Amino acid sequence: MFGLDKRDTGVLIIVTLLALFAPIILNPFPTDSAMAQFNAGYPDLMQKFVIFGIFAIGFNILFGLTGYLSFGHAAFLGIGSYSCVWMFKLLGYNVIPGIVLSILISGLFALLIGFVSLRRSGIYFSILTLAFAQMCFALAYSVLSNPRFNLTNGETGLQVYANDPQWFHRDGLPDLPHLFGLSMRATQKIQVGAWEFQLNAGYYMCAIVMLICFYLAIRIFRSPFGMMLRAVKSNQQRMNYTGLNSRPYTLAAFVISGMYAGLAGGLLSAVDPLAGAERMQWTASGEVVLMTILGGAGTLIGPVLGAGFIKYFENIFSKINDNVLHSWFAFLPDGLEDFMVFIIHPFIGKGWHLTLGILFMLVVIYLPGGLVEGGQRVLGWFRKRSAKPDAKAGKTEPAE
Amino acid sequence: MGILEVKNVGKRFGGLQALSDVNLSVKENTVHAIIGPNGAGKSTLLNCLVGKLIPDTGSVMFDGQSVLGRAPYEINQMGISRVFQTPEIFGDLTVMENMMIPCFAKRDGAFMLNAMPMVTNQKEVLERAEHMLEEMNMAEKRHMQSASLSRGDKRRLEIGMCLSQEPRLLLLDEPTAGMARADTNNTIDLLKEIAAERDITIAIIEHDMHVVFSLANRITVLAQGTPLVEDDPENIRGNPKVREAYLGETA
């Protein structure tokens, strides 16, 4: 289907179903139950899942295929966000021009940064991209926000003010980002028994964009271009002596992944029209590296899983506080209850980074292929178990 | 006029004169061997031919065009393919993909952004790669990861990849180094077949005299960065100067 083989079509269908039914799948616990705080099916978080999924899919095209580890991809995310908000300020709240511009501008920056950075490979390339990203951050945070020329609005973050031109804004349109009149905040709440599911317009727009991005990524992975990118990772020497110039291949991959990042940034602004410089900081660049490696670099679905995993931890684990812990362990004797809370305390709330770090280390050491490898191992284990009785039966038969 | 003309090439690494005044002419459709003791400058000369090194003096002409100052991929596109001492293949890719890459390079040139191709677009390349695999007797291994091939098979694959580009000059850098006798003989047979059946010139650098004398029509002996003699194999075998330089025997 769509020029994909059977297996890839299967993966695409699974991702489509997951994306479509995410509001239901991610809300397994009744609204009023104690476990409801583990529900992730609210619009804000689901939007983050798919947007950072796009970011990680794009990053994986560069890192997973060519092996060039960029530590500055957050710069493109930030550039995309700023571009999109500027379109809101100038043209109006329709998200289409903003998203298109964010892809174009971040592609342009990627071309420039990639052209310089790709002269080196390995650690030097990583450091160069990191340097560029920090430059972009510094520019956005202070340099480009002086009163005479205010492009980024510095610490406050770029946002839409009442006196902005918004040339195409009409009275009938919502005063928030919208898609031809459909507000990104529009949410349909569905009550099923004790459960409540929220179907959000912004989420579904992002999910559709993510599916398109995912489909394009599959096509790139399976194309001759993708094969050349894997050849770059495998043996650049042979590539050069096979009459292929590896520079434009890596640059193309860099620009494509930069555009993916820009698109993700544009969508972040589209669901919440505020762009801050902290989106460009090196921690944000590191986060996408973590997502890709955690999910499985070089795999199709890995980055999406990794993005979901990290965003889930960031939003759910960080919300658990000592009071919640005390309520969980209330059945224990007082001393023991305090002790348990004391033990777990560093791993929750603000300490979610610690939990994530430990998980990341475990995955990297025991599952170098990321969560995807973990899934494959579990599947293989089940297959072995179901295959074993047959094998035994086959062996005993001739004896009888 | 040979297909490859090397004139007065010199190369210096710091205090070491690796090559001085090398003149070499490789005639079309011959197998030309370059031999010499360790440190004679064989590999330096080869690196000068493929664009990895730029000689300090002299000129290198391939088919009437200078190769100096061109990048390795440009020189390859002119029609020079190189086989390395240790097989250089795309280890993470399958055998079939390894073969497809040079076929794409032959068809599309040094760079082509075909990220969304139709299947029909690739048909001709697939057929070509498939054909080449069959010729190399590797068709049944097409789905294997190429890193897991045996040394001899890796060499076969690498030679096949070079041939699929239909180069006019094939450069071989000690193609049988570190191989078992059986693999060496297989490689010799393969190269003989290639030289006989194809419109191709082969330049080979080799240590193993057995390989050299079973393949070469013409031999150049390098010693201390400069050619000692260039002659037919029969004459080289009996040449006292060669025996002295190469085997360390006193004449």
Side-chain angles (χ1 to χ4, degrees):
Chain A
M1 198 168 65
F2 309 125
L4 301 180
D5 68 16
K6 227 169 134 189
R7 239 184 102 197
D8 293 337
T9 311
V11 172
L12 185 64
I13 288 173
I14 290 173
V15 173
T16 308
L17 291 177
L18 284 179
L20 273 182
F21 295 108
I24 296 161
I25 299 166
L26 294 174
N27 257 358
F29 307 112
T31 319
D32 295 326
S33 70
M35 299 294 277
Q37 58 179 316
F38 288 107
N39 279 344
Y42 56 95
D44 255 10
L45 185 53
M46 287 192 301
Q47 285 162 2
K48 274 188 188 149
F49 283 168
V50 287
I51 290 172
F52 281 90
I54 293 171
F55 191 18
I57 291 170
F59 185 77
N60 192 36
I61 290 176
L62 181 71
F63 177 57
L65 289 179
T66 69
Y68 277 75
L69 177 57
S70 162
F71 258 116
H73 255 52
F76 307 125
L77 189 82
I79 289 163
S81 293
Y82 281 121
S83 312
C84 191
V85 176
W86 265 110
M87 282 290 103
F88 291 158
K89 284 167 87 78
L90 293 175
L91 300 183
Y93 268 126
N94 195 330
V95 295
I96 297 291
I99 289 171
V100 171
L101 188 77
S102 62
I103 297 173
L104 292 179
I105 300 282
S106 55
L108 209 66
F109 270 81
L111 191 68
L112 208 76
I113 294 176
F115 185 77
V116 178
S117 305
L118 285 166
R119 288 174 177 272
R120 291 281 168 272
S121 60
I123 188 77
Y124 304 102
F125 168 78
S126 304
I127 296 297
L128 277 170
T129 49
L130 177 62
F132 272 113
Q134 285 302 89
M135 264 191 257
C136 290
F137 169 69
L139 283 176
Y141 196 71
S142 54
V143 182
L144 294 178
S145 71
N146 56 57
R148 260 179 304 165
F149 182 69
N150 194 352
L151 194 66
T152 60
N153 211 16
E155 276 177 68
T156 325
L158 193 65
Q159 49 190 301
V160 183
Y161 294 112
N163 58 355
D164 283 329
Q166 297 205 298
W167 290 313
F168 295 102
H169 194 67
R170 283 180 286 106
D171 280 344
L173 292 170
D175 231 358
L176 277 170
H178 63 83
L179 183 70
F180 302 110
L182 175 67
S183 168
M184 291 292 109
R185 297 254 169 100
T187 304
Q188 182 76 42
K189 288 185 183 171
I190 299 175
Q191 212 78 39
V192 182
W195 285 270
E196 189 190 70
F197 304 120
Q198 304 181 28
L199 308 181
N200 172 264
Y203 166 71
Y204 277 108
M205 186 196 69
C206 296
I208 288 166
V209 175
M210 194 268 280
L211 289 173
I212 295 170
C213 286
F214 189 65
Y215 168 72
L216 289 177
I218 299 179
R219 288 300 297 266
I220 290 173
F221 265 63
R222 302 291 180 237
S223 71
F225 175 68
M227 194 164 75
M228 296 301 176
L229 296 183
R230 282 186 294 141
V232 170
K233 186 180 186 179
S234 185
N235 192 340
Q236 260 198 58
Q237 167 130 304
R238 174 38 79 201
M239 197 160 170
N240 286 330
Y241 288 100
T242 310
L244 293 162
N245 189 358
S246 53
R247 281 277 294 284
Y249 279 105
T250 46
L251 185 59
F254 193 84
V255 171
I256 290 171
S257 74
M259 286 163 96
Y260 267 72
L263 172 62
L267 287 174
L268 275 180
S269 295
V271 294
D272 181 17
L274 173 78
E278 77 287 341
R279 249 172 226 176
M280 298 174 129
Q281 221 171 356
W282 65 273
T283 46
S285 299
E287 200 179 51
V288 74
V289 179
L290 288 191
M291 286 172 183
T292 310
I293 294 176
L294 191 69
T299 61
L300 283 169
I301 204 170
V304 186
L305 289 180
F309 200 77
I310 287 184
K311 284 292 152 192
Y312 185 82
F313 265 77
E314 183 183 306
N315 287 277
I316 303 294
F317 262 67
S318 61
K319 266 192 220 148
I320 304 172
N321 54 28
D322 282 1
N323 291 335
V324 177
L325 280 187
H326 277 292
S327 71
W328 285 356
F329 295 112
F331 66 92
L332 292 171
D334 260 0
L336 209 54
E337 181 187 327
D338 289 342
F339 179 71
M340 286 304 287
V341 173
F342 175 75
I343 293 279
I344 299 178
H345 174 81
F347 297 96
I348 51 146
K350 279 180 186 160
W352 72 273
H353 283 290
L354 191 62
T355 321
L356 185 68
I358 291 170
L359 277 171
F360 182 73
M361 281 195 285
L362 289 175
V363 166
V364 168
I365 293 169
Y366 294 106
L367 295 170
L371 296 174
V372 169
E373 192 189 330
Q376 283 167 346
R377 279 198 197 174
V378 171
L379 269 182
W381 188 70
F382 272 114
R383 274 196 200 128
K384 236 192 222 161
R385 267 180 60 124
S386 61
K388 246 182 191 166
D390 297 341
K392 262 184 190 165
K395 262 178 199 166
T396 48
E397 255 173 32
E400 286 172 1
Chain B
M1 248 323 242
I3 186 166
L4 183 74
E5 292 283 341
V6 178
K7 287 226 165 70
N8 305 326
V9 161
K11 179 76 192 172
R12 224 186 152 77
F13 296 117
L16 175 77
Q17 187 75 38
L19 292 175
S20 57
D21 223 12
V22 176
N23 286 292
L24 181 73
S25 171
V26 179
K27 302 267 177 313
E28 204 154 359
N29 294 329
T30 57
V31 179
H32 195 125
I34 298 160
I35 62 173
N38 280 330
K42 305 183 297 288
S43 297
T44 310
L45 178 61
L46 194 73
N47 284 335
C48 288
L49 303 183
V50 295
K52 197 171 184 182
L53 291 175
I54 297 175
D56 304 330
T57 58
S59 67
V60 179
M61 304 289 277
F62 173 71
D63 201 23
Q65 282 179 295
S66 174
V67 305
L68 297 186
R70 288 179 201 254
Y73 73 89
E74 289 174 308
I75 294 174
N76 177 279
Q77 291 280 0
M78 288 167 78
I80 302 181
S81 279
R82 175 180 182 178
V83 171
F84 288 81
Q85 193 169 342
T86 42
E88 293 279 354
I89 50 174
F90 302 110
D92 301 335
L93 275 59
T94 66
V95 171
M96 182 65 185
E97 286 171 327
N98 266 277
M99 200 56 101
M100 279 166 75
I101 285 172
C103 294
F104 274 117
K106 173 82 182 163
R107 192 191 71 173
D108 298 338
F111 173 70
M112 174 87 153
L113 185 69
N114 44 358
M116 302 283 149
M118 293 320 216
V119 181
T120 48
N121 240 347
Q122 296 185 46
K123 208 174 154 198
E124 152 207 359
V125 167
L126 281 171
E127 276 166 9
R128 199 188 163 85
E130 198 74 45
H131 173 74
M132 207 60 221
L133 280 181
E134 261 155 38
E135 226 166 88
M136 291 287 128
N137 288 327
M138 299 190 78
E140 72 280 10
K141 291 179 180 139
R142 67 169 73 87
H143 294 304
M144 270 176 79
Q145 200 193 348
S146 65
S148 59
L149 291 173
S150 74
R151 179 72 176 252
D153 277 347
K154 279 182 187 162
R155 171 64 73 217
R156 255 188 129 67
L157 176 62
E158 191 185 20
I159 292 173
M161 286 162 70
C162 288
L163 289 179
S164 69
Q165 295 187 289
E166 294 171 1
R168 298 189 54 202
L169 175 65
L170 182 64
L171 299 173
L172 298 148
D173 190 358
E174 304 202 20
T176 62
M179 271 191 191
R181 198 81 238 182
D183 276 341
T184 304
N185 287 335
N186 283 339
T187 310
I188 292 174
D189 292 342
L190 176 69
L191 290 174
K192 268 185 180 164
E193 210 181 290
I194 292 164
E197 286 173 8
R198 287 168 190 273
D199 182 24
I200 196 171
T201 313
I202 298 178
I204 178 169
I205 285 178
E206 187 56 75
H207 256 326
D208 190 336
M209 287 301 116
H210 171 62
V211 178
V212 170
F213 285 111
S214 38
L215 284 172
N217 318 116
R218 191 84 182 159
I219 296 178
T220 299
V221 183
L222 274 187
Q224 286 159 2
T226 185
L228 204 61
V229 271
E230 185 189 324
D231 214 330
D232 293 332
E234 305 85 69
N235 301 335
I236 293 284
R237 222 191 279 260
N239 193 321
K241 264 163 87 186
V242 176
R243 296 182 77 89
E244 190 188 343
Y246 202 83
L247 304 168
E249 289 176 15
T250 42

